[in-house]
């Protein structure tokens, strides 16, 4: 795992494959200012040749991939021998105060069917042994997992509410109720 995209890209001296899931993210050149770096979206553009990249980096989080082993296998396919696959995933919901408070508030509003998106998806892929198994099942032979504690901050509760409602799938789950 990596604490940030910039730390991943600062290690590079070759071609980079970017596995972020949205076109907007994969076009952000500011995260890889090195002219030698070649940014592509590996997941969406799997026609890229095998063994084409020194590093594949997924700085936003693999927890959003529906088939993680398949995505990891694709990363391995496009890596050159000895290349690195660097990714991040978030810890469990209970350790993320803002997300946990939002989830508890929505559970109080919708007690019969509380939205479970955060616990299920962004904060649901935190078990390092499950990650290790998925990476190994994809074919990687050696790996290292490191964790980092960090805290989220927001200027006001309103900002948190807007971010979680407009920036996540909560709206889909709450509109159905």
């Amino acid at each position: 795992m990596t604490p940030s995209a910039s730390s991943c890209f600062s290690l590079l001296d070759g071609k980079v494959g970017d596995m972020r899931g949205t076109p907007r993210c994969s076009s952000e050149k500011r995260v890889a200012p090195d002219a030698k770096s070649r940014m592509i979206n590996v997941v969406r553009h799997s026609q890229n040749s095998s063994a084409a990249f020194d590093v594949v980096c997924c700085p936003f989080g693999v927890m959003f991939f529906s088939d993680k082993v398949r995505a990891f296998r694709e990363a391995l396919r496009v890596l050159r021998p000895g290349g690195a696959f660097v990714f991040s995933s978030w810890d469990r919901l209970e350790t993320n105060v803002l997300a946990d408070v939002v989830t508890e508030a929505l559970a109080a509003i919708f007690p019969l069917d509380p939205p479970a998106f955060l616990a299920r998806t962004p904060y649901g892929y935190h078990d390092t042994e499950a990650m290790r198994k998925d990476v190994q099942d994809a074919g990687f032979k050696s790996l290292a997992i490191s964790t980092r504690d960090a805290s989220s901050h927001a200027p006001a509760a309103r900002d948190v509410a807007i971010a979680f409602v407009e920036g996540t799938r909560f709206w889909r789950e709450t509109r159905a109720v």
Side-chain angles (χ1 to χ4, degrees):
M1 289 185 271
T2 181
S4 71
S6 60
S7 64
C8 170
F9 290 115
S10 68
L11 301 172
L12 307 179
D13 188 30
K15 292 184 178 178
V16 181
D18 180 20
M19 292 185 73
R20 287 177 286 179
T22 65
R24 191 184 118 250
C25 287
S26 59
S27 66
E28 289 181 13
K29 303 297 184 202
R30 63 184 163 78
V31 293
D34 181 351
K36 295 181 183 177
S37 298
R38 179 175 164 215
M39 301 270 301
I40 61 133
N41 187 316
V42 176
V43 174
R44 292 182 190 262
H45 303 289
S46 61
Q47 72 274 13
N48 292 305
S49 60
S50 297
F53 298 97
D54 300 311
V55 176
V56 172
C57 187
C58 183
F60 185 64
V62 296
M63 62 278 192
F64 293 104
F65 295 145
S66 58
D67 187 338
K68 291 162 188 63
V69 173
R70 182 176 171 210
F72 297 165
R73 195 172 293 125
E74 181 66 7
L76 181 62
R77 182 185 71 79
V78 300
L79 278 172
R80 291 184 178 138
F85 175 37
V86 184
F87 67 84
S88 68
S89 187
W90 302 343
D91 202 354
R92 66 189 181 281
L93 182 63
E94 296 78 24
T95 65
N96 290 276
V97 176
L98 297 177
D100 196 34
V101 167
V102 168
T103 301
E104 288 176 9
L106 285 170
I109 296 168
F110 303 103
L112 299 178
D113 189 18
F117 170 72
L118 290 181
R120 183 179 63 246
T121 304
Y123 300 98
Y125 193 60
H126 53 79
D127 182 338
T128 57
E129 288 309 309
M131 288 179 202
R132 182 179 307 281
K133 181 182 181 324
D134 289 347
V135 169
Q136 289 173 333
D137 286 353
F140 285 90
K141 301 298 181 216
S142 64
L143 65 129
I145 296 176
S146 63
T147 59
R148 178 181 158 216
D149 290 329
S151 297
S152 298
H153 303 279
R158 183 176 195 279
D159 296 312
V160 174
I162 291 170
F164 278 97
V165 171
E166 293 181 2
T168 71
R169 295 182 182 206
F170 265 141
W171 67 272
R172 287 184 186 160
E173 293 188 20
T174 57
R175 288 180 98 181
V177 176

